[in-house]
């Protein structure tokens, strides 16, 4: 990813930059420094600041993934139990010492690992809520790295979010 990022920056291939910055920021800091020798200080700073913003937003996404509104049974609920599962469900969340990356915040994975056992219908409801918020976060990736919006990039976001 790093050589591609360097070439995209050099050739001003803006349509590729959000995804390349994101891909490169999924490595730890020592790895990033070892592979960014061809980038300018400003470009490395953009990468690291975007990485930090992405990590903070990803942590916020899963630290608050069980909104209270899910505790109230909606008419559209697919709960399979007589007593609504999510009313008393427990969400343990990521440990305080762990800061999840965006890639670790898929709804189904978070539900399976951190939500007390609930029926399949309620699992799907919570996973869908998390994934909706992940898509909203994904839409902000260009801004997190100080780039132009996806819309300016001729609809590229529509291709990568399908």
């Amino acid at each position: 990813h790093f050589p591609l990022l360097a070439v995209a920056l050099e050739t001003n291939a803006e349509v590729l930059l959000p995804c390349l910055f994101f891909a490169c920021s999924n490595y730890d800091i020592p790895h990033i420094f070892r592979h960014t020798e061809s980038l300018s200080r400003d470009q490395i700073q953009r990468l690291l600041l975007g990485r930090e913003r992405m990590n903070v937003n990803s942590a916020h996404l899963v630290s608050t993934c069980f909104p209270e509104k899910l505790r109230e049974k909606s008419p559209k609920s697919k709960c399979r139990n007589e007593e609504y599962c999510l009313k008393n469900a427990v969400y343990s969340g990521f440990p305080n010492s762990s800061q999840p990356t965006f890639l670790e915040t898929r709804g189904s994975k978070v539900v399976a690992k951190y939500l007390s056992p609930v029926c399949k219908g309620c699992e799907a409801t919570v996973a869908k809520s998390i994934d909706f918020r992940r898509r909203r976060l994904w839409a902000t990736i260009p801004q997190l790295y100080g780039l132009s919006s996806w819309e300016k990039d001729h609809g590229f976001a529509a291709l990568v979010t399908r």
Side-chain angles (χ1 to χ4, degrees), residues 18 50 53-54 57 102 133-151 157 161:
R53 290 181 194 119
M54 191 66 194
N57 280 288
F102 183 77
R133 292 170 53 203
R134 282 182 90 239
R135 284 189 299 278
R136 286 189 10 211
L137 177 54
W138 178 262
T140 68
I141 284 179
Q143 291 79 16
L144 295 176
Y145 292 93
L147 303 166
S148 63
S149 70
W150 292 113
E151 289 78 28
T161 56

Side-chain angles (χ1 to χ4, degrees), residues 62-120:
V62 293
S63 69
T64 60
C65 89
F66 198 79
E68 288 304 310
K69 70 177 183 169
L70 291 179
R71 292 205 185 277
E72 300 297 321
K73 189 171 185 175
S74 108
K76 297 178 185 178
S77 171
K78 294 185 173 44
C79 185
R80 298 177 180 167
N81 294 327
E82 193 172 309
E83 184 174 355
Y84 185 53
C85 295
L86 297 179
K87 180 179 179 185
N88 298 311
V90 175
Y91 172 69
S92 62
F94 281 77
N96 288 339
S97 61
S98 171
Q99 188 172 38
T101 66
F102 183 77
L103 301 175
E104 297 171 313
T105 61
R106 273 206 160 66
S108 59
K109 289 183 180 185
V110 172
V111 166
K113 194 166 184 176
Y114 299 104
L115 186 65
S116 62
V118 295
C119 73
K120 294 293 182 194

